[in-house]
Amino acid sequence: MHSIRNFFCGQWSSTERLDEKTVIITGANTGIGKETARDLAKRGARIIMACRDMERGEAARKEIAEDSGNQNIVLKRLDLSNTKSIREFAELINKEEQQLNILINNAGVMLCPFSKTADGFEMQIGVNHLGHFLLTFLLLDLLKRSAPARVVNVASVAHTWVSGIQLDDINSEKAYNARRAYGQSKLANILCTRSLAKRLQGSGVTVYSLHPGVVQTELWRHLSAPVQVAVRVFSPFTKTSVQGAQTSVYCAVEPALEKDSGDYYSDCAPARCSRAAKDDEMAEKLWELSCQLLGIHWD
Ligand SMILES: NC(=O)c1ccc[n+]([C@@H]2O[C@H](COP(=O)([O-])OP(=O)(O)OC[C@H]3O[C@@H](n4cnc5c(N)ncnc54)[C@H](OP(=O)(O)O)[C@@H]3O)[C@@H](O)[C@H]2O)c1
C-alpha cells in the first residue's frame, strides 16, 4: 500500500533549517496542519499552533515537542469562525512576537450543513476564506518587518467545482449547496493569493496557494457514513497526513520559491489551476467585497 501511495505523491526532501524563524500554522492540532507543524518543528522553527480546541491542541503540541525535541512550540487560541477571536489572536501575536517569518493558513471546514459564523458569514466561506483573509491582514505589518517572509494558503483542487465567486450571494443565503460553498471558498483562497502577491511586490513577503492532494484526515467528517467508507476503501490512492503536508512544507521552505509569488502548487511543484482562478477582475471584486464584509481598509 505504501508504494501505491508513494507513486501518487509528489515527494520533496530537503535538509533546509528554520532556526531563529517563527511560524504560525492555523488548524495545527490534527491532519495536514499537525504534520506541517511537526516537520517545521524538526527544522528548528519556533512554532505557534493556532487552534480552536485547546485540549486537542495541547495534546498535539506535547506530541510534536516530544517527537521533534523542539521545546519552542506554543499553542494559542484561534477560532476562525469569530472575528473577535481572530482580532484577539492577532493582537497577542503583534504584542508578544518579535517576528513572523511564515504564516500557514491551513485550517478548514468542508461540506458542513448550512451554518453561520459568529459574524453571520456562511461557515465555509467564513472560516476558509474570510477568517484567513482577516488574519493575514492583521499580521501583515509583522510579516513585512520580518521579510523575507511567506504566506502559504492551503486551497484545494475543489476550486474547480465552481466557475466563479457568487459575489451577489457569497454567504449562500438564497440557496445553499455545500459543495459549491466549499469550492467557492477554495477558489477565493487562490484568487486572494494572486491579489495579495501583487500588492506585496517588492516587500519581501511572498505568497503561495496549494492543493495538498486527497488526504486521509478528519476533513471528511461531514460526509455521510457510506461516502466515508468509500474514501477509506480508496485509501491506497490517497495520501497520509504526512504526505499531504509536503506541499505546504515545500511552499514554506523551498529557497528557490523566494523569487516566485502568487502561484498555485500541488505535489511540490507548480500546478495548473482553473480559468476562474486566474480571473484577476473577479479577484479584485472579491478583494473589495471581503474588505467591505470585514470592515477593513486594505489597498
Ligand atoms: N484532506 C484533504 O483531502 C484536503 C484536500 C484539499 C484541501 N484540503 C485542505 O487542507 C486543509 C487542512 O485540512 P485537513 O485535511 O487537515 O482537515 P482536518 O483534519 O479536518 O483539519 C482541519 C483543521 O482546521 C481546524 N478548524 C476548523 N474550523 C476551524 C475554526 N473555526 N477555527 C480554527 N480552526 C478550525 C480544525 O480544528 P478542530 O480539530 O478543532 O476541528 C483542524 O485543526 C484545509 O484547508 C482543507 O480544506 C484538504
Side-chain angles (χ1 to χ4, degrees):
M1 186 187 287
H2 190 66
S3 58
I4 299 176
R5 276 190 165 138
N6 281 348
F7 182 76
F8 287 98
C9 297
Q11 296 291 312
W12 183 70
S13 72
S14 152
T15 53
E16 197 71 25
R17 298 285 305 170
L18 292 177
D19 303 297
E20 315 296 326
K21 304 282 185 198
T22 301
V23 181
I24 291 178
I25 305 167
T26 68
N29 58 287
T30 188
I32 296 165
K34 181 176 165 187
E35 294 312 325
T36 305
R38 194 193 306 272
D39 184 299
L40 302 186
K42 287 179 180 170
R43 294 174 193 273
R46 169 171 170 73
I47 306 287
I48 300 170
M49 299 171 64
C51 304
R52 63 175 168 177
D53 183 329
M54 296 306 268
E55 214 172 294
R56 297 184 76 203
E58 179 52 23
R61 192 201 66 76
K62 263 178 83 178
E63 181 192 318
I64 294 170
E66 274 166 27
D67 187 23
S68 64
N70 181 345
Q71 297 309 313
N72 199 359
I73 303 175
V74 294
L75 174 68
K76 306 266 184 210
R77 188 187 300 278
L78 171 67
D79 182 350
L80 287 153
S81 70
N82 186 339
T83 56
K84 185 167 174 277
S85 170
I86 300 169
R87 288 185 179 279
E88 284 170 1
F89 172 83
E91 201 179 314
L92 202 72
I93 296 295
N94 283 318
K95 196 167 81 187
E96 292 181 352
E97 300 297 323
Q98 301 304 309
Q99 58 173 29
L100 174 59
N101 308 94
I102 302 169
L103 169 63
I104 303 185
N105 290 320
N106 162 82
V109 57
M110 181 175 82
L111 303 180
C112 54
F114 184 78
S115 58
K116 287 185 173 179
T117 68
D119 304 272
F121 307 134
E122 182 279 318
M123 189 60 71
Q124 298 186 78
I125 196 79
V127 170
N128 301 353
H129 163 57
L130 290 168
H132 283 127
F133 187 86
L134 177 62
L135 179 66
T136 307
F137 170 76
L138 296 171
L139 296 177
L140 203 59
D141 282 345
L142 182 59
L143 282 159
K144 283 183 183 165
R145 288 202 304 277
S146 314
R150 297 185 183 195
V151 178
V152 177
N153 293 321
V154 182
S156 171
V157 73
H159 76 273
T160 60
W161 294 352
V162 294
S163 57
I165 304 286
Q166 298 214 117
L167 293 163
D168 61 343
D169 187 26
I170 199 164
N171 285 312
S172 309
E173 272 159 343
K174 289 183 195 153
Y176 181 64
N177 175 314
R179 203 166 177 270
R180 195 175 62 198
Y182 180 68
Q184 167 177 258
S185 73
K186 292 291 148 182
L187 175 61
N189 290 153
I190 303 176
L191 289 171
C192 286
T193 298
R194 289 168 67 84
S195 298
L196 182 57
K198 278 191 204 149
R199 284 168 169 82
L200 289 175
Q201 257 174 25
S203 70
V205 183
T206 48
V207 198
Y208 312 88
S209 68
L210 65 100
H211 170 57
V214 178
V215 191
Q216 294 281 341
T217 66
E218 294 175 44
L219 192 70
W220 309 89
R221 65 187 98 176
H222 293 295
L223 299 182
S224 64
V227 179
Q228 291 201 27
V229 170
V231 171
R232 263 182 235 117
V233 168
F234 285 102
S235 70
F237 303 99
T238 60
K239 294 184 182 182
T240 64
S241 294
V242 173
Q243 291 166 333
Q246 292 309 298
T247 307
S248 295
V249 174
Y250 169 78
C251 288
V253 176
E254 170 57 56
L257 290 191
E258 200 159 307
K259 58 182 181 3
D260 300 324
S261 189
D263 295 333
Y264 173 71
Y265 297 82
S266 179
D267 284 334
C268 304
R272 283 169 68 112
C273 56
S274 68
R275 188 191 295 188
K278 292 185 217 149
D279 183 341
D280 288 337
E281 203 180 315
M282 183 153 43
E284 282 312 301
K285 287 182 181 161
L286 171 65
W287 190 276
E288 276 170 35
L289 178 62
S290 304
C291 289
Q292 192 188 319
L293 289 169
L294 293 164
I296 58 177
H297 298 282
W298 192 350
D299 298 329

